[in-house]
Amino acid sequence: MSKPLRIFLVLLGVAVVAGGVGVLTAYISRINAPSQTGETLYIDAKHPHGVAMPAFKLQTANGGVFDNADLRKRWTFMFFGYTHCPDVCPLTLGRLAVVMGDLKKAHRAGDLQVLFTSVDPQRDTPAKVAAYAAYFDPRFVGATASPAEIKRLTGELGIYFKREPDPFDAKNYLIQHSASILIVAPNGHLVARLEPPHYPKLIESELKEIRRLYEK
């Protein structure tokens, strides 16, 4: 991992622990103050084109692969979760589907993609994740990887997840996980992290601002 990315993610982690409104430095600036929804947008101030993503390779349906090359030339919303999630995942993907629909109507969705990655490869096959993501929008990409690869990638991106027993089903388990949406620019660099709650209009306005700064 590059030094800028390590610094970027460490500071983002501090902000997340502090509830999304943590300390800011000259290296990371908050574009807009926390709104009354509690959502915060971070971007790298010294490097407006973001910081390089770690190398990764995910598995998609039918033996396909999604890696760093697939981030190029498009804006990407990256979200991590699992198909058995009872609340956060369907809510977030549903709202991202609204965003895609709104931007499609405005003819601004052509260079945008959503990548949903399962942190539960023990139960979620690539085909299952793909079908789950496509349920919300057929343009969504669903993927996963080996447990080791998922642990490495989420660790480098500052995404938290932890397996816990299901209090209502002893044979089942739940996964507590980050609800952050990562935004990757067309150059393949991480430029922002959106914290919940995620409301479509707010996501759209923040993406518009990120594009403006990126294209300056």
Side-chain angles (χ1 to χ4, degrees), residues 35-212:
S35 68
Q36 58 184 341
T37 67
E39 184 163 295
T40 305
L41 172 64
Y42 295 94
I43 195 167
D44 184 341
K46 288 187 176 180
H47 302 81
H49 285 182
V51 288
M53 284 280 292
F56 69 92
K57 181 177 290 186
L58 303 174
Q59 302 162 9
T60 59
N62 302 317
V65 170
F66 191 104
D67 59 19
N68 297 75
D70 295 293
L71 298 175
R72 296 283 181 171
K73 299 182 179 180
R74 307 185 76 176
W75 287 91
T76 304
F77 286 125
M78 294 184 69
F79 181 68
F80 292 81
Y82 66 119
T83 67
H84 288 76
C85 182
D87 40 38
V88 175
C89 294
L91 179 63
T92 303
L93 290 175
R95 288 178 170 174
L96 286 175
V98 172
V99 170
M100 289 289 280
D102 288 346
L103 295 181
K104 182 179 180 181
K105 291 177 183 177
H107 305 289
R108 291 188 288 121
D111 64 343
L112 181 65
Q113 65 181 343
V114 173
L115 172 64
F116 174 66
T117 302
S118 174
V119 296
D120 186 20
Q122 292 87 346
R123 293 183 296 188
D124 289 342
T125 64
K128 186 173 183 179
V129 182
Y132 181 82
Y135 172 81
F136 296 92
D137 189 302
R139 295 166 292 186
F140 286 8
V141 178
T144 189
S146 68
E149 175 68 357
I150 291 295
K151 183 178 181 180
R152 182 193 65 80
L153 179 60
T154 54
E156 295 198 32
L157 292 175
I159 297 296
Y160 167 85
F161 74 95
K162 181 180 179 181
R163 179 169 162 172
E164 295 183 346
D166 185 337
F168 302 104
D169 184 355
K171 296 182 179 180
N172 194 24
Y173 61 87
L174 300 174
I175 296 179
Q176 298 296 326
H177 63 90
S178 301
S180 307
I181 297 174
L182 305 183
I183 299 183
V184 181
N187 62 358
H189 287 194
L190 178 64
V191 294
R193 177 174 185 147
L194 305 182
E195 298 302 329
H198 300 297
Y199 295 109
K201 292 301 181 184
L202 186 55
I203 293 174
E204 291 166 28
S205 66
E206 292 181 336
L207 178 62
K208 182 178 180 180
E209 176 67 3
I210 293 170
R211 285 177 184 264
R212 185 188 70 80

Side-chain angles (χ1 to χ4, degrees), residues 1-52:
M1 189 194 311
S2 66
K3 183 176 180 180
L5 181 54
R6 286 199 301 270
I7 298 173
F8 179 60
L9 293 175
V10 166
L11 291 176
L12 283 181
V14 172
V16 171
V17 170
V21 291
V23 295
L24 301 178
T25 68
Y27 188 78
I28 296 177
S29 67
R30 189 168 55 209
I31 296 177
N32 55 336
S35 68
Q36 58 184 341
T37 67
E39 184 163 295
T40 305
L41 172 64
Y42 295 94
I43 195 167
D44 184 341
K46 288 187 176 180
H47 302 81
H49 285 182
V51 288

